Amino acid sequence: NAGVTQTPKFQVLKTGQSMTLQCAQDMNHEYMSWYRQDPGMGLRLIHYSVGAGITDQGEVPNGYNVSRSTTEDFPLRLLSAAPSQTSVYFCASSYSWGGQPQHFGDGTRLSIL
Amino acid sequence: KNEVEQSPQNLTAQEGEFITINCSYSVGISALHWLQQHPGGGIVSLFMLSSGKKKHGRLIATINIQEKHSSLHITASHPRDSAVYICAPRPGSQGNLIFGKGTKLSVKP
């Protein structure tokens, strides 16, 4: 099993560009989530999904879009990149929404110029 | 508002020392996770606990739900324990995790 796979690992964008961060898991987990990690701050939840076809906003959803068409995939879209979105992004999954350890991807380091 | 407070923020220890990292939170929770983030950036789950104590190798995690406090202990610390340790309580029975800012541990040989 690969676990949680995130691509790309690094990306540089120009302000206004759009892109999609990919996240896939092969553990048949229902719950998937996207976080951003900024210096001096804890991980912050962007969007999450409790199953295919179901998504919801987290703490910092503005400027991001998600979809969950399959159990395995949970892509994160930046609609129009802004320098404030420069961050390290982590995707995570767990078997269910409550009471289960989360498995994290290796992260995507994103820089917006 | 900081719902999760970790202390200390930074910790330097000599190899072999006993390490304690503390986590206090202000909301009612159903469980609490301890995570380890390696210098390369990867995050792994160490413990998930809702009461009492759990032990895995040299790592011990305790929680006191009434006092809203958890501790992570490392016995006989080793340089490979150098990492950021993150406390993440789960409010309610099916809530999303909230995260502390982490404690950066450096263990010197």
Side-chain angles (χ1 to χ4, degrees):
Chain A
N1 287 350
V4 179
T5 303
Q6 282 186 242
T7 55
K9 294 194 186 309
F10 303 94
Q11 184 71 47
V12 178
L13 292 178
K14 294 181 179 178
T15 298
Q17 287 185 314
S18 63
M19 81 160 293
T20 299
L21 307 185
Q22 301 291 345
C23 176
Q25 53 89 10
D26 61 358
M27 297 172 283
N28 202 32
H29 285 171
E30 291 295 324
Y31 178 86
M32 297 186 74
S33 53
W34 276 102
Y35 301 97
R36 59 178 290 173
Q37 186 176 43
D38 301 295
M41 304 186 74
L43 288 159
R44 291 185 292 168
L45 182 65
I46 305 171
H47 284 284
Y48 66 98
S49 168
V50 298
I54 305 169
T55 64
D56 207 345
Q57 296 180 350
E59 180 185 356
V60 288
N62 292 343
Y64 307 95
N65 202 1
V66 292
S67 59
R68 185 95 180 270
S69 56
T70 67
T71 298
E72 294 77 20
D73 299 298
F74 190 45
L76 177 72
R77 296 181 188 86
L78 278 70
L79 309 173
S80 178
S84 61
Q85 294 178 303
T86 294
S87 188
V88 181
Y89 292 84
F90 288 94
C91 178
S93 74
S94 62
Y95 182 73
S96 63
W97 193 12
Q100 299 293 330
Q102 291 201 20
H103 299 256
F104 287 81
D106 290 336
T108 295
R109 188 172 295 274
L110 182 62
S111 294
I112 316 294
L113 305 177
Chain B
K1 61 178 179 179
N2 291 327
E3 294 178 303
V4 185
E5 295 285 350
Q6 285 188 236
S7 63
Q9 288 185 309
N10 294 282
L11 180 57
T12 300
Q14 287 298 127
E15 183 173 357
E17 287 185 359
F18 181 83
I19 304 292
T20 295
I21 299 170
N22 295 299
C23 174
S24 297
Y25 50 90
S26 57
V27 297
I29 69 167
S30 58
L32 182 142
H33 297 243
W34 280 100
L35 310 172
Q36 180 190 54
Q37 185 167 25
H38 297 289
I43 300 173
V44 296
S45 179
L46 296 175
F47 293 102
M48 183 187 68
L49 66 165
S50 55
S51 65
K53 179 168 75 173
K54 284 193 175 181
K55 184 175 188 292
H56 184 249
R58 296 180 293 105
L59 273 60
I60 303 167
T62 64
I63 189 168
N64 186 317
I65 293 288
Q66 287 75 25
E67 294 188 2
K68 294 184 168 61
H69 182 268
S70 176
S71 293
L72 177 68
H73 305 285
I74 305 175
T75 62
S77 59
H78 190 276
R80 65 176 175 265
D81 298 325
S82 297
V84 175
Y85 292 84
I86 301 169
C87 167
R90 181 187 300 281
S93 61
Q94 280 192 324
N96 295 302
L97 298 180
I98 55 176
F99 296 84
K101 295 180 181 180
T103 294
K104 185 175 183 179
L105 171 65
S106 178
V107 182
K108 305 295 185 186

